Amino acid sequence: MAGLSPQARSGIRMAIDYAAPAVSLIAFALTHDFEKATWWLVGFSAVAIIASLALERRFAPLPIIYGGMALVFGGLTLVFHDKIFVKMKPTFIDLALGSGMLIGLAMGKSPIRLIVGDTLAMSEAGWRTLTLRFGLFFLVLAGLNELIWRTQPDQTWFLFRFPGALIISLLFAATQMPMMIKDAKALEAAVELTDTQA
């Protein structure tokens, strides 16, 4: 994606990440057939993985995780004609992400830093706080998915997965911005003080 602005690259990545759930939602709305919607989910998940690899020139972690799990659980739904597999996919993904972050934090690492990359300048304490919060958030999201698919009709679950979960995630990320900005400013001030004293 050389030559594109950061905003354009971000938009393309988001389109790739959410194309499959968006298309499956549309397919279900048009056909009211869960398996047909799952076919679209699986197909566009495969396309998303290929597109991500072609554009990023590397295996970006999140598209591989989301797309790969969609292929596996969507495939199981189609093979066994049981929608429970694809409905539990978000639970497994969110549990894996949440647990991975908390386990990494316990080992002195900040897994979310690997996902975000170098786009944020934060202190180690700031990264630990952000990792803890997102780890717990993903566990809550997993529990919410379980509650909704077990108690609500299919159309409600589809809307929860997209755009519901995306909206919830964006709102949660927005609540973290004040802490991130405060930490970044404190880090910048500390660096400037160190440079002045040197």
Side-chain angles (χ1 to χ4, degrees):
M1 290 191 287
L4 294 176
S5 67
Q7 292 82 1
R9 288 197 297 270
S10 178
I12 292 172
R13 288 191 191 102
M14 182 168 286
I16 290 172
D17 291 345
Y18 292 101
V23 169
S24 66
L25 170 64
I26 293 170
F28 182 78
L30 293 175
T31 66
H32 301 287
D33 188 312
F34 202 100
E35 284 200 19
K36 287 181 180 178
T38 302
W39 274 110
W40 283 99
L41 173 70
V42 170
F44 266 78
S45 295
V47 170
I49 292 174
I50 295 170
S52 176
L53 180 59
L55 293 171
E56 298 277 358
R57 305 296 176 94
R58 65 186 178 89
F59 285 104
L62 286 184
I64 294 301
I65 292 172
Y66 282 101
M69 294 287 267
L71 291 177
V72 171
F73 284 88
L76 289 171
T77 286
L78 296 173
V79 169
F80 294 103
H81 306 287
D82 191 343
K83 56 190 175 184
I84 189 174
F85 292 107
V86 81
K87 284 187 171 184
M88 290 187 70
K89 171 186 71 73
T91 301
F92 281 97
I93 292 176
D94 292 333
L95 277 177
L97 289 172
S99 300
M101 288 188 184
L102 296 180
I103 292 171
L105 188 63
M107 297 173 63
K109 307 292 183 182
S110 296
I112 196 169
R113 195 172 188 173
L114 299 175
I115 297 173
V116 175
D118 298 324
T119 56
L120 293 175
M122 292 176 58
S123 68
E124 291 301 321
W127 281 114
R128 287 194 297 271
T129 300
L130 196 62
T131 300
L132 174 62
R133 291 180 181 181
F134 267 93
L136 294 175
F137 170 73
F138 280 120
L139 295 183
V140 170
L141 207 57
L144 190 56
N145 182 67
E146 284 295 297
L147 176 66
I148 290 176
W149 83 258
R150 291 176 185 275
T151 62
Q152 302 301 313
D154 290 344
Q155 56 266 34
T156 301
W157 178 80
F158 266 104
L159 288 171
F160 165 70
R161 287 316 303 164
F162 186 84
L166 172 60
I167 294 171
I168 293 170
S169 298
L170 291 175
L171 289 174
F172 177 78
T175 66
Q176 305 309 303
M177 291 303 296
M179 182 277 292
M180 294 160 65
I181 293 172
K182 181 179 179 181
D183 184 86
K185 287 182 177 178
L187 179 62
E188 183 180 356
V191 171
E192 289 177 356
L193 179 61
T194 302
D195 290 343
T196 302
Q197 294 176 342

